[in-house]
Amino acid sequence: MTKTTGTPPAVSFTGAVKTYGTVRAVDGVDLRIARGETVALLGRNGAGKSTTISLLLGLIEPDAGTVELFGAPPERAVRAGRVGAMLQEARAVPRVTVSELVTFVAGRYPTPLPVAHALELAGIADLAGRRVDRLSGGQTQRVRFAVALAGNPSLIVLDEPTAALDVEARRAFWDSMRAYARRGHTVLFSTHYLEEADAHADRILVIDRGRIVADGTGEELRRSAGGNLVSFDLAGRGTEGLTLLPGVRSLEVRGDRALLRTDDSDATVIALADLGAIRGLEVAPASLDDAFLALTSRAMETV
């Protein structure tokens, strides 16, 4: 990861607010993304991800607060070719080849990547002569990535880049993205696949109800939600007193099993043994999915 000190960050939100009627889609967001970082943005549908990305790209203006890219308004960075974007909604252009499309887009920027290099980074050099409207879904997605790279941007924004792709196509896409990031560029991507965020991001931002509710590595987020999960069969017994056991932070019941999120699994298990509640006992590290659910549930409780 490459970071530059003494210069403005790649992305800066300060108290950013965006409302639609009575809905605060972005509610006082503060965040910084350093140059050279790869950052994942997670959130449920309607959490504010798309609005945050639209603010970042200058597609909409904040109602309050500021958004800057490289120390300047987003539109300035976009016009200068410093930002590339791969958004969810895009249609294949009919009757043009991959090379023709990328060449056309590259020509709109002051210092574009050589087209052959953009195609190579996106892993589609072998598709240069193919028509865009005759490609598979995975191939089309990688063409969109090449288009986003065409201007040689310092920052690339990927909105759900692997949605609807199969496993092989997702793997190929992330290989291409990592090759781009290794050049010292900044990447921000949103995803519903938590394992992708864990595997490919330096930091993970969790947004819920327009607010950043967590910011850290996958491991830090897992620790924030409780280090381990202790589960056991209730076998007809109630749950009274379980949240008072040593280390326990929260309780969830799934069918006839109790799931305890705990900071001290050893102490929790000993206490359960004293209660005779060890039927089907399992202890496992908290997953990023568990952390995500805990963080967003916690955010809802504070509203």
Side-chain angles (χ1 to χ4, degrees):
M1 179 174 63
T2 302
K3 296 183 182 180
T4 304
T5 58
T7 56
V11 177
S12 174
F13 278 59
T14 304
V17 174
K18 185 63 182 180
T19 60
Y20 295 100
T22 59
V23 176
R24 293 173 74 89
V26 172
D27 190 7
V29 166
D30 293 296
L31 71 88
R32 303 289 183 274
I33 298 176
R35 302 183 188 206
E37 278 194 296
T38 297
V39 177
L41 181 64
L42 302 183
R44 300 172 299 175
N45 290 333
K49 296 194 309 297
S50 295
T51 303
T52 298
I53 288 173
S54 294
L55 287 170
L56 186 153
L57 295 174
L59 300 175
I60 56 176
E61 295 284 337
D63 298 321
T66 60
V67 178
E68 293 184 338
L69 303 181
F70 305 102
E75 58 270 24
R76 188 182 304 174
V78 171
R79 283 200 305 269
R82 303 188 73 180
V83 183
M86 180 177 165
L87 304 181
Q88 288 190 61
E89 296 184 5
R91 295 180 181 178
V93 180
R95 296 183 297 279
V96 301
T97 67
V98 171
S99 180
E100 289 169 342
L101 175 62
V102 177
T103 298
F104 173 79
V105 174
R108 312 277 76 77
Y109 291 94
T111 56
L113 276 179
V115 170
H117 195 179
L119 297 179
E120 182 182 355
L121 274 175
I124 54 171
D126 59 328
L127 301 179
R130 295 272 300 277
R131 277 178 49 170
V132 174
D133 55 356
R134 294 183 177 175
L135 300 178
S136 69
Q139 291 169 334
T140 300
Q141 200 77 325
R142 291 165 74 183
V143 170
R144 293 171 60 201
F145 185 49
V147 167
L149 294 175
N152 195 22
S154 300
L155 164 68
I156 193 164
V157 180
L158 311 170
D159 190 9
E160 302 287 351
T162 60
L165 297 188
D166 61 32
V167 173
E168 183 178 354
R170 286 169 61 190
R171 183 181 299 114
F173 173 83
W174 288 115
D175 286 344
S176 299
M177 192 282 292
R178 284 196 300 271
Y180 169 81
R182 281 195 297 269
R183 294 163 56 90
H185 297 310
T186 308
V187 178
L188 172 67
F189 68 91
S190 68
T191 180
H192 279 99
Y193 300 111
L194 274 65
E195 70 275 12
E196 289 188 344
D198 205 15
H200 303 297
D202 303 318
R203 285 167 59 202
I204 298 173
L205 303 173
V206 179
I207 188 168
D208 198 66
R209 299 196 174 212
R211 303 173 186 172
I212 301 295
V213 298
D215 179 354
T217 64
E219 181 57 33
E220 288 169 341
L221 265 57
R222 281 188 285 270
R223 286 202 303 268
S224 74
N228 289 292
L229 299 174
V230 176
S231 60
F232 62 96
D233 293 335
L234 287 168
R237 64 159 287 161
T239 59
E240 184 178 356
L242 292 180
T243 56
L244 302 177
L245 297 180
V248 173
R249 296 180 59 170
S250 67
L251 163 68
E252 182 181 348
V253 177
R254 298 178 183 173
D256 192 45
R257 285 186 68 78
L259 189 150
L260 302 172
R261 187 168 286 108
T262 174
D263 292 327
D264 188 341
S265 57
D266 290 342
T268 302
V269 168
I270 290 171
L272 286 171
D274 289 340
L275 294 174
I278 57 172
R279 183 173 180 177
L281 183 70
E282 293 182 359
V283 179
S287 68
L288 191 58
D289 295 84
D290 294 315
F292 177 78
L293 290 172
L295 288 164
T296 54
S297 297
R298 193 180 305 160
M300 291 182 66
E301 291 169 0
T302 61
V303 174

